[in-house]
PDB file of all heavy atoms in Angstrom:
ATOM      1  N   PHE A   1     -28.366  -9.161 -55.062  1.00 95.00           N
ATOM      2  CA  PHE A   1     -28.919  -9.434 -53.743  1.00 95.00           C
ATOM      3  C   PHE A   1     -28.656 -10.872 -53.307  1.00 95.00           C
ATOM      4  O   PHE A   1     -28.313 -11.123 -52.150  1.00 95.00           O
ATOM      5  CB  PHE A   1     -30.423  -9.153 -53.743  1.00 95.00           C
ATOM      6  CG  PHE A   1     -31.110  -9.492 -52.451  1.00 95.00           C
ATOM      7  CD1 PHE A   1     -31.251  -8.543 -51.454  1.00 95.00           C
ATOM      8  CD2 PHE A   1     -31.613 -10.769 -52.233  1.00 95.00           C
ATOM      9  CE1 PHE A   1     -31.884  -8.850 -50.262  1.00 95.00           C
ATOM     10  CE2 PHE A   1     -32.249 -11.090 -51.045  1.00 95.00           C
ATOM     11  CZ  PHE A   1     -32.380 -10.123 -50.055  1.00 95.00           C
ATOM     12  N   SER A   2     -28.824 -11.801 -54.226  1.00 96.00           N
ATOM     13  CA  SER A   2     -28.726 -13.214 -53.883  1.00 96.00           C
ATOM     14  C   SER A   2     -27.316 -13.652 -53.522  1.00 96.00           C
ATOM     15  O   SER A   2     -27.146 -14.707 -52.894  1.00 96.00           O
ATOM     16  CB  SER A   2     -29.241 -14.074 -55.043  1.00 96.00           C
ATOM     17  OG  SER A   2     -28.416 -13.936 -56.190  1.00 96.00           O
ATOM     18  N   LEU A   3     -26.324 -12.876 -53.887  1.00 96.00           N
ATOM     19  CA  LEU A   3     -24.940 -13.215 -53.582  1.00 96.00           C
ATOM     20  C   LEU A   3     -24.430 -12.539 -52.312  1.00 96.00           C
ATOM     21  O   LEU A   3     -23.308 -12.823 -51.883  1.00 96.00           O
ATOM     22  CB  LEU A   3     -24.035 -12.841 -54.756  1.00 96.00           C
ATOM     23  CG  LEU A   3     -24.325 -13.563 -56.076  1.00 96.00           C
ATOM     24  CD1 LEU A   3     -23.336 -13.110 -57.144  1.00 96.00           C
ATOM     25  CD2 LEU A   3     -24.267 -15.070 -55.897  1.00 96.00           C
ATOM     26  N   GLU A   4     -25.226 -11.668 -51.727  1.00 95.00           N
ATOM     27  CA  GLU A   4     -24.836 -10.947 -50.528  1.00 95.00           C
ATOM     28  C   GLU A   4     -25.271 -11.696 -49.272  1.00 95.00           C
ATOM     29  O   GLU A   4     -26.186 -12.521 -49.297  1.00 95.00           O
ATOM     30  CB  GLU A   4     -25.448  -9.549 -50.518  1.00 95.00           C
ATOM     31  CG  GLU A   4     -25.024  -8.656 -51.667  1.00 95.00           C
ATOM     32  CD  GLU A   4     -23.646  -8.063 -51.458  1.00 95.00           C
ATOM     33  OE1 GLU A   4     -23.122  -8.150 -50.334  1.00 95.00           O
ATOM     34  OE2 GLU A   4     -23.095  -7.502 -52.426  1.00 95.00           O
ATOM     35  N   HIS A   5     -24.587 -11.402 -48.182  1.00 97.00           N
ATOM     36  CA  HIS A   5     -25.019 -11.847 -46.867  1.00 97.00           C
ATOM     37  C   HIS A   5     -25.771 -10.698 -46.203  1.00 97.00           C
ATOM     38  O   HIS A   5     -25.357  -9.541 -46.290  1.00 97.00           O
ATOM     39  CB  HIS A   5     -23.832 -12.244 -45.991  1.00 97.00           C
ATOM     40  CG  HIS A   5     -22.892 -13.213 -46.649  1.00 97.00           C
ATOM     41  ND1 HIS A   5     -23.330 -14.278 -47.403  1.00 97.00           N
ATOM     42  CD2 HIS A   5     -21.536 -13.277 -46.640  1.00 97.00           C
ATOM     43  CE1 HIS A   5     -22.275 -14.959 -47.849  1.00 97.00           C
ATOM     44  NE2 HIS A   5     -21.186 -14.373 -47.391  1.00 97.00           N
ATOM     45  N   TRP A   6     -26.853 -11.034 -45.527  1.00 98.00           N
ATOM     46  CA  TRP A   6     -27.700 -10.003 -44.928  1.00 98.00           C
ATOM     47  C   TRP A   6     -27.859 -10.236 -43.442  1.00 98.00           C
ATOM     48  O   TRP A   6     -27.705 -11.354 -42.945  1.00 98.00           O
ATOM     49  CB  TRP A   6     -29.070  -9.976 -45.619  1.00 98.00           C
ATOM     50  CG  TRP A   6     -28.952  -9.625 -47.059  1.00 98.00           C
ATOM     51  CD1 TRP A   6     -28.914 -10.476 -48.122  1.00 98.00           C
ATOM     52  CD2 TRP A   6     -28.808  -8.308 -47.596  1.00 98.00           C
ATOM     53  NE1 TRP A   6     -28.769  -9.779 -49.291  1.00 98.00           N
ATOM     54  CE2 TRP A   6     -28.694  -8.445 -49.004  1.00 98.00           C
ATOM     55  CE3 TRP A   6     -28.765  -7.029 -47.030  1.00 98.00           C
ATOM     56  CZ2 TRP A   6     -28.543  -7.344 -49.846  1.00 98.00           C
ATOM     57  CZ3 TRP A   6     -28.615  -5.936 -47.870  1.00 98.00           C
ATOM     58  CH2 TRP A   6     -28.511  -6.105 -49.263  1.00 98.00           C
ATOM     59  N   ALA A   7     -28.174  -9.150 -42.727  1.00 98.00           N
ATOM     60  CA  ALA A   7     -28.254  -9.242 -41.276  1.00 98.00           C
ATOM     61  C   ALA A   7     -29.239  -8.233 -40.725  1.00 98.00           C
ATOM     62  O   ALA A   7     -29.586  -7.241 -41.367  1.00 98.00           O
ATOM     63  CB  ALA A   7     -26.876  -9.022 -40.640  1.00 98.00           C
ATOM     64  N   TRP A   8     -29.688  -8.498 -39.514  1.00 98.00           N
ATOM     65  CA  TRP A   8     -30.457  -7.552 -38.723  1.00 98.00           C
ATOM     66  C   TRP A   8     -29.616  -7.107 -37.538  1.00 98.00           C
ATOM     67  O   TRP A   8     -28.908  -7.920 -36.927  1.00 98.00           O
ATOM     68  CB  TRP A   8     -31.774  -8.153 -38.233  1.00 98.00           C
ATOM     69  CG  TRP A   8     -32.831  -8.219 -39.287  1.00 98.00           C
ATOM     70  CD1 TRP A   8     -33.115  -9.269 -40.103  1.00 98.00           C
ATOM     71  CD2 TRP A   8     -33.758  -7.181 -39.627  1.00 98.00           C
ATOM     72  NE1 TRP A   8     -34.158  -8.958 -40.939  1.00 98.00           N
ATOM     73  CE2 TRP A   8     -34.571  -7.680 -40.675  1.00 98.00           C
ATOM     74  CE3 TRP A   8     -33.980  -5.887 -39.159  1.00 98.00           C
ATOM     75  CZ2 TRP A   8     -35.594  -6.923 -41.252  1.00 98.00           C
ATOM     76  CZ3 TRP A   8     -34.994  -5.132 -39.736  1.00 98.00           C
ATOM     77  CH2 TRP A   8     -35.784  -5.654 -40.767  1.00 98.00           C
ATOM     78  N   TYR A   9     -29.719  -5.827 -37.244  1.00 98.00           N
ATOM     79  CA  TYR A   9     -29.053  -5.214 -36.107  1.00 98.00           C
ATOM     80  C   TYR A   9     -30.099  -4.446 -35.308  1.00 98.00           C
ATOM     81  O   TYR A   9     -31.166  -4.121 -35.817  1.00 98.00           O
ATOM     82  CB  TYR A   9     -27.953  -4.247 -36.561  1.00 98.00           C
ATOM     83  CG  TYR A   9     -26.936  -4.837 -37.514  1.00 98.00           C
ATOM     84  CD1 TYR A   9     -27.217  -4.969 -38.867  1.00 98.00           C
ATOM     85  CD2 TYR A   9     -25.685  -5.248 -37.065  1.00 98.00           C
ATOM     86  CE1 TYR A   9     -26.290  -5.498 -39.757  1.00 98.00           C
ATOM     87  CE2 TYR A   9     -24.748  -5.771 -37.938  1.00 98.00           C
ATOM     88  CZ  TYR A   9     -25.058  -5.888 -39.280  1.00 98.00           C
ATOM     89  OH  TYR A   9     -24.119  -6.416 -40.142  1.00 98.00           O
ATOM     90  N   ARG A  10     -29.782  -4.139 -34.069  1.00 98.00           N
ATOM     91  CA  ARG A  10     -30.687  -3.313 -33.279  1.00 98.00           C
ATOM     92  C   ARG A  10     -29.902  -2.401 -32.352  1.00 98.00           C
ATOM     93  O   ARG A  10     -28.764  -2.696 -31.990  1.00 98.00           O
ATOM     94  CB  ARG A  10     -31.667  -4.168 -32.473  1.00 98.00           C
ATOM     95  CG  ARG A  10     -31.041  -4.977 -31.343  1.00 98.00           C
ATOM     96  CD  ARG A  10     -32.087  -5.856 -30.679  1.00 98.00           C
ATOM     97  NE  ARG A  10     -31.547  -6.610 -29.563  1.00 98.00           N
ATOM     98  CZ  ARG A  10     -32.230  -7.524 -28.887  1.00 98.00           C
ATOM     99  NH1 ARG A  10     -33.483  -7.802 -29.214  1.00 98.00           N
ATOM    100  NH2 ARG A  10     -31.656  -8.162 -27.879  1.00 98.00           N
ATOM    101  N   ARG A  11     -30.530  -1.280 -32.011  1.00 98.00           N
ATOM    102  CA  ARG A  11     -29.907  -0.317 -31.122  1.00 98.00           C
ATOM    103  C   ARG A  11     -30.901   0.092 -30.039  1.00 98.00           C
ATOM    104  O   ARG A  11     -31.802   0.908 -30.289  1.00 98.00           O
ATOM    105  CB  ARG A  11     -29.435   0.914 -31.901  1.00 98.00           C
ATOM    106  CG  ARG A  11     -28.776   1.974 -31.020  1.00 98.00           C
ATOM    107  CD  ARG A  11     -28.201   3.109 -31.859  1.00 98.00           C
ATOM    108  NE  ARG A  11     -29.196   3.739 -32.690  1.00 98.00           N
ATOM    109  CZ  ARG A  11     -30.069   4.649 -32.268  1.00 98.00           C
ATOM    110  NH1 ARG A  11     -30.074   5.026 -31.003  1.00 98.00           N
ATOM    111  NH2 ARG A  11     -30.940   5.180 -33.118  1.00 98.00           N
ATOM    112  N   PRO A  12     -30.759  -0.477 -28.842  1.00 97.00           N
ATOM    113  CA  PRO A  12     -31.587  -0.016 -27.721  1.00 97.00           C
ATOM    114  C   PRO A  12     -31.216   1.409 -27.361  1.00 97.00           C
ATOM    115  O   PRO A  12     -30.093   1.855 -27.612  1.00 97.00           O
ATOM    116  CB  PRO A  12     -31.222  -0.989 -26.588  1.00 97.00           C
ATOM    117  CG  PRO A  12     -30.603  -2.169 -27.276  1.00 97.00           C
ATOM    118  CD  PRO A  12     -29.897  -1.597 -28.462  1.00 97.00           C
ATOM    119  N   ILE A  13     -32.131   2.142 -26.774  1.00 95.00           N
ATOM    120  CA  ILE A  13     -31.848   3.514 -26.388  1.00 95.00           C
ATOM    121  C   ILE A  13     -30.685   3.543 -25.410  1.00 95.00           C
ATOM    122  O   ILE A  13     -30.623   2.752 -24.464  1.00 95.00           O
ATOM    123  CB  ILE A  13     -33.091   4.194 -25.779  1.00 95.00           C
ATOM    124  CG1 ILE A  13     -32.860   5.688 -25.598  1.00 95.00           C
ATOM    125  CG2 ILE A  13     -33.484   3.537 -24.464  1.00 95.00           C
ATOM    126  CD1 ILE A  13     -32.773   6.427 -26.904  1.00 95.00           C
ATOM    127  N   GLY A  14     -29.737   4.423 -25.674  1.00 96.00           N
ATOM    128  CA  GLY A  14     -28.591   4.558 -24.801  1.00 96.00           C
ATOM    129  C   GLY A  14     -27.507   3.519 -24.988  1.00 96.00           C
ATOM    130  O   GLY A  14     -26.515   3.535 -24.254  1.00 96.00           O
ATOM    131  N   LYS A  15     -27.665   2.628 -25.951  1.00 97.00           N
ATOM    132  CA  LYS A  15     -26.680   1.588 -26.196  1.00 97.00           C
ATOM    133  C   LYS A  15     -26.210   1.613 -27.646  1.00 97.00           C
ATOM    134  O   LYS A  15     -26.808   2.265 -28.500  1.00 97.00           O
ATOM    135  CB  LYS A  15     -27.255   0.211 -25.857  1.00 97.00           C
ATOM    136  CG  LYS A  15     -27.640   0.020 -24.404  1.00 97.00           C
ATOM    137  CD  LYS A  15     -28.128  -1.396 -24.149  1.00 97.00           C
ATOM    138  CE  LYS A  15     -28.462  -1.604 -22.687  1.00 97.00           C
ATOM    139  NZ  LYS A  15     -28.925  -2.996 -22.430  1.00 97.00           N
ATOM    140  N   GLU A  16     -25.144   0.894 -27.902  1.00 97.00           N
ATOM    141  CA  GLU A  16     -24.607   0.802 -29.251  1.00 97.00           C
ATOM    142  C   GLU A  16     -25.390  -0.199 -30.086  1.00 97.00           C
ATOM    143  O   GLU A  16     -26.037  -1.108 -29.562  1.00 97.00           O
ATOM    144  CB  GLU A  16     -23.134   0.396 -29.207  1.00 97.00           C
ATOM    145  CG  GLU A  16     -22.229   1.401 -28.521  1.00 97.00           C
ATOM    146  CD  GLU A  16     -22.209   2.722 -29.241  1.00 97.00           C
ATOM    147  OE1 GLU A  16     -22.095   2.737 -30.483  1.00 97.00           O
ATOM    148  OE2 GLU A  16     -22.306   3.759 -28.556  1.00 97.00           O
ATOM    149  N   ARG A  17     -25.325  -0.037 -31.379  1.00 97.00           N
ATOM    150  CA  ARG A  17     -25.964  -0.965 -32.297  1.00 97.00           C
ATOM    151  C   ARG A  17     -25.288  -2.324 -32.198  1.00 97.00           C
ATOM    152  O   ARG A  17     -24.065  -2.414 -32.098  1.00 97.00           O
ATOM    153  CB  ARG A  17     -25.885  -0.421 -33.720  1.00 97.00           C
ATOM    154  CG  ARG A  17     -26.574  -1.284 -34.752  1.00 97.00           C
ATOM    155  CD  ARG A  17     -26.939  -0.507 -36.011  1.00 97.00           C
ATOM    156  NE  ARG A  17     -26.053   0.583 -36.311  1.00 97.00           N
ATOM    157  CZ  ARG A  17     -26.453   1.731 -36.867  1.00 97.00           C
ATOM    158  NH1 ARG A  17     -27.729   1.916 -37.158  1.00 97.00           N
ATOM    159  NH2 ARG A  17     -25.567   2.684 -37.123  1.00 97.00           N
ATOM    160  N   GLU A  18     -26.086  -3.382 -32.210  1.00 97.00           N
ATOM    161  CA  GLU A  18     -25.562  -4.721 -32.085  1.00 97.00           C
ATOM    162  C   GLU A  18     -26.140  -5.628 -33.168  1.00 97.00           C
ATOM    163  O   GLU A  18     -27.285  -5.464 -33.589  1.00 97.00           O
ATOM    164  CB  GLU A  18     -25.874  -5.316 -30.708  1.00 97.00           C
ATOM    165  CG  GLU A  18     -27.363  -5.471 -30.436  1.00 97.00           C
ATOM    166  CD  GLU A  18     -27.677  -6.120 -29.106  1.00 97.00           C
ATOM    167  OE1 GLU A  18     -26.787  -6.766 -28.528  1.00 97.00           O
ATOM    168  OE2 GLU A  18     -28.828  -5.985 -28.635  1.00 97.00           O
ATOM    169  N   TRP A  19     -25.364  -6.592 -33.595  1.00 98.00           N
ATOM    170  CA  TRP A  19     -25.804  -7.607 -34.522  1.00 98.00           C
ATOM    171  C   TRP A  19     -26.656  -8.635 -33.793  1.00 98.00           C
ATOM    172  O   TRP A  19     -26.320  -9.046 -32.675  1.00 98.00           O
ATOM    173  CB  TRP A  19     -24.589  -8.300 -35.160  1.00 98.00           C
ATOM    174  CG  TRP A  19     -24.922  -9.556 -35.907  1.00 98.00           C
ATOM    175  CD1 TRP A  19     -25.267  -9.671 -37.209  1.00 98.00           C
ATOM    176  CD2 TRP A  19     -24.934 -10.881 -35.363  1.00 98.00           C
ATOM    177  NE1 TRP A  19     -25.492 -10.990 -37.531  1.00 98.00           N
ATOM    178  CE2 TRP A  19     -25.299 -11.755 -36.422  1.00 98.00           C
ATOM    179  CE3 TRP A  19     -24.675 -11.423 -34.108  1.00 98.00           C
ATOM    180  CZ2 TRP A  19     -25.409 -13.133 -36.249  1.00 98.00           C
ATOM    181  CZ3 TRP A  19     -24.787 -12.799 -33.934  1.00 98.00           C
ATOM    182  CH2 TRP A  19     -25.145 -13.631 -34.996  1.00 98.00           C
ATOM    183  N   ILE A  20     -27.753  -9.069 -34.402  1.00 98.00           N
ATOM    184  CA  ILE A  20     -28.593 -10.064 -33.756  1.00 98.00           C
ATOM    185  C   ILE A  20     -28.905 -11.266 -34.641  1.00 98.00           C
ATOM    186  O   ILE A  20     -29.188 -12.348 -34.113  1.00 98.00           O
ATOM    187  CB  ILE A  20     -29.919  -9.458 -33.253  1.00 98.00           C
ATOM    188  CG1 ILE A  20     -30.697  -8.794 -34.394  1.00 98.00           C
ATOM    189  CG2 ILE A  20     -29.666  -8.478 -32.112  1.00 98.00           C
ATOM    190  CD1 ILE A  20     -32.102  -8.387 -34.019  1.00 98.00           C
ATOM    191  N   ALA A  21     -28.864 -11.107 -35.952  1.00 98.00           N
ATOM    192  CA  ALA A  21     -29.202 -12.227 -36.818  1.00 98.00           C
ATOM    193  C   ALA A  21     -28.616 -12.016 -38.199  1.00 98.00           C
ATOM    194  O   ALA A  21     -28.489 -10.881 -38.658  1.00 98.00           O
ATOM    195  CB  ALA A  21     -30.720 -12.416 -36.919  1.00 98.00           C
ATOM    196  N   SER A  22     -28.275 -13.084 -38.868  1.00 98.00           N
ATOM    197  CA  SER A  22     -27.754 -12.991 -40.225  1.00 98.00           C
ATOM    198  C   SER A  22     -28.173 -14.197 -41.038  1.00 98.00           C
ATOM    199  O   SER A  22     -28.469 -15.265 -40.496  1.00 98.00           O
ATOM    200  CB  SER A  22     -26.223 -12.862 -40.223  1.00 98.00           C
ATOM    201  OG  SER A  22     -25.616 -13.978 -39.603  1.00 98.00           O
ATOM    202  N   ILE A  23     -28.188 -13.992 -42.338  1.00 98.00           N
ATOM    203  CA  ILE A  23     -28.456 -15.078 -43.262  1.00 98.00           C
ATOM    204  C   ILE A  23     -27.482 -14.940 -44.419  1.00 98.00           C
ATOM    205  O   ILE A  23     -27.382 -13.889 -45.052  1.00 98.00           O
ATOM    206  CB  ILE A  23     -29.928 -15.069 -43.738  1.00 98.00           C
ATOM    207  CG1 ILE A  23     -30.185 -16.255 -44.664  1.00 98.00           C
ATOM    208  CG2 ILE A  23     -30.304 -13.747 -44.387  1.00 98.00           C
ATOM    209  CD1 ILE A  23     -31.672 -16.509 -44.905  1.00 98.00           C
ATOM    210  N   LEU A  24     -26.739 -15.994 -44.681  1.00 98.00           N
ATOM    211  CA  LEU A  24     -25.746 -15.986 -45.736  1.00 98.00           C
ATOM    212  C   LEU A  24     -26.409 -16.215 -47.087  1.00 98.00           C
ATOM    213  O   LEU A  24     -27.574 -16.597 -47.177  1.00 98.00           O
ATOM    214  CB  LEU A  24     -24.677 -17.051 -45.486  1.00 98.00           C
ATOM    215  CG  LEU A  24     -23.977 -17.003 -44.124  1.00 98.00           C
ATOM    216  CD1 LEU A  24     -22.850 -18.037 -44.083  1.00 98.00           C
ATOM    217  CD2 LEU A  24     -23.442 -15.609 -43.831  1.00 98.00           C
ATOM    218  N   SER A  25     -25.648 -15.983 -48.138  1.00 97.00           N
ATOM    219  CA  SER A  25     -26.175 -16.205 -49.477  1.00 97.00           C
ATOM    220  C   SER A  25     -26.633 -17.648 -49.670  1.00 97.00           C
ATOM    221  O   SER A  25     -27.566 -17.909 -50.435  1.00 97.00           O
ATOM    222  CB  SER A  25     -25.124 -15.846 -50.525  1.00 97.00           C
ATOM    223  OG  SER A  25     -23.964 -16.643 -50.378  1.00 97.00           O
ATOM    224  N   SER A  26     -26.007 -18.561 -48.962  1.00 97.00           N
ATOM    225  CA  SER A  26     -26.365 -19.967 -49.028  1.00 97.00           C
ATOM    226  C   SER A  26     -27.657 -20.291 -48.295  1.00 97.00           C
ATOM    227  O   SER A  26     -28.220 -21.369 -48.476  1.00 97.00           O
ATOM    228  CB  SER A  26     -25.238 -20.816 -48.445  1.00 97.00           C
ATOM    229  OG  SER A  26     -25.064 -20.543 -47.068  1.00 97.00           O
ATOM    230  N   GLY A  27     -28.109 -19.374 -47.444  1.00 97.00           N
ATOM    231  CA  GLY A  27     -29.274 -19.606 -46.616  1.00 97.00           C
ATOM    232  C   GLY A  27     -28.953 -19.956 -45.181  1.00 97.00           C
ATOM    233  O   GLY A  27     -29.863 -20.025 -44.345  1.00 97.00           O
ATOM    234  N   THR A  28     -27.710 -20.174 -44.875  1.00 98.00           N
ATOM    235  CA  THR A  28     -27.295 -20.473 -43.514  1.00 98.00           C
ATOM    236  C   THR A  28     -27.568 -19.285 -42.605  1.00 98.00           C
ATOM    237  O   THR A  28     -27.261 -18.150 -42.958  1.00 98.00           O
ATOM    238  CB  THR A  28     -25.806 -20.831 -43.471  1.00 98.00           C
ATOM    239  OG1 THR A  28     -25.573 -21.991 -44.269  1.00 98.00           O
ATOM    240  CG2 THR A  28     -25.354 -21.113 -42.043  1.00 98.00           C
ATOM    241  N   THR A  29     -28.139 -19.539 -41.442  1.00 98.00           N
ATOM    242  CA  THR A  29     -28.498 -18.478 -40.508  1.00 98.00           C
ATOM    243  C   THR A  29     -27.693 -18.566 -39.227  1.00 98.00           C
ATOM    244  O   THR A  29     -27.176 -19.628 -38.868  1.00 98.00           O
ATOM    245  CB  THR A  29     -29.991 -18.522 -40.166  1.00 98.00           C
ATOM    246  OG1 THR A  29     -30.316 -19.792 -39.583  1.00 98.00           O
ATOM    247  CG2 THR A  29     -30.834 -18.313 -41.413  1.00 98.00           C
ATOM    248  N   ALA A  30     -27.611 -17.430 -38.544  1.00 98.00           N
ATOM    249  CA  ALA A  30     -26.943 -17.363 -37.256  1.00 98.00           C
ATOM    250  C   ALA A  30     -27.624 -16.298 -36.419  1.00 98.00           C
ATOM    251  O   ALA A  30     -28.175 -15.334 -36.955  1.00 98.00           O
ATOM    252  CB  ALA A  30     -25.452 -17.050 -37.425  1.00 98.00           C
ATOM    253  N   TYR A  31     -27.574 -16.469 -35.100  1.00 98.00           N
ATOM    254  CA  TYR A  31     -28.256 -15.563 -34.194  1.00 98.00           C
ATOM    255  C   TYR A  31     -27.399 -15.279 -32.980  1.00 98.00           C
ATOM    256  O   TYR A  31     -26.595 -16.110 -32.558  1.00 98.00           O
ATOM    257  CB  TYR A  31     -29.587 -16.164 -33.732  1.00 98.00           C
ATOM    258  CG  TYR A  31     -30.523 -16.511 -34.857  1.00 98.00           C
ATOM    259  CD1 TYR A  31     -30.497 -17.772 -35.437  1.00 98.00           C
ATOM    260  CD2 TYR A  31     -31.418 -15.567 -35.343  1.00 98.00           C
ATOM    261  CE1 TYR A  31     -31.352 -18.090 -36.486  1.00 98.00           C
ATOM    262  CE2 TYR A  31     -32.274 -15.879 -36.386  1.00 98.00           C
ATOM    263  CZ  TYR A  31     -32.234 -17.139 -36.950  1.00 98.00           C
ATOM    264  OH  TYR A  31     -33.089 -17.446 -37.995  1.00 98.00           O
ATOM    265  N   SER A  32     -27.596 -14.103 -32.415  1.00 98.00           N
ATOM    266  CA  SER A  32     -26.960 -13.795 -31.151  1.00 98.00           C
ATOM    267  C   SER A  32     -27.646 -14.584 -30.044  1.00 98.00           C
ATOM    268  O   SER A  32     -28.798 -15.012 -30.182  1.00 98.00           O
ATOM    269  CB  SER A  32     -27.036 -12.298 -30.853  1.00 98.00           C
ATOM    270  OG  SER A  32     -28.371 -11.903 -30.596  1.00 98.00           O
ATOM    271  N   ASP A  33     -26.942 -14.765 -28.947  1.00 98.00           N
ATOM    272  CA  ASP A  33     -27.510 -15.526 -27.839  1.00 98.00           C
ATOM    273  C   ASP A  33     -28.794 -14.896 -27.295  1.00 98.00           C
ATOM    274  O   ASP A  33     -29.682 -15.598 -26.813  1.00 98.00           O
ATOM    275  CB  ASP A  33     -26.487 -15.655 -26.709  1.00 98.00           C
ATOM    276  CG  ASP A  33     -25.340 -16.577 -27.064  1.00 98.00           C
ATOM    277  OD1 ASP A  33     -25.491 -17.396 -27.988  1.00 98.00           O
ATOM    278  OD2 ASP A  33     -24.287 -16.481 -26.404  1.00 98.00           O
TER     279      ASP A  33
END
């Protein structure tokens, strides 16, 4: 687990799944606008 990068995605009704947030194994984070 600690060596993987993880993320959250979401799918609004009627839309495609989208990436919204991630955290790398290093702890670095990123977010959608």
Side-chain angles (χ1 to χ4, degrees):
F1 176 91
S2 65
L3 298 181
E4 299 281 348
H5 309 319
W6 298 97
W8 283 94
Y9 307 80
R10 68 184 182 185
R11 180 174 57 80
I13 190 69
K15 297 183 178 181
E16 297 297 315
R17 182 158 30 215
E18 63 177 342
W19 168 89
I20 57 170
S22 60
I23 182 166
L24 306 186
S25 60
S26 64
T28 299
T29 59
Y31 303 90
S32 68
D33 289 340

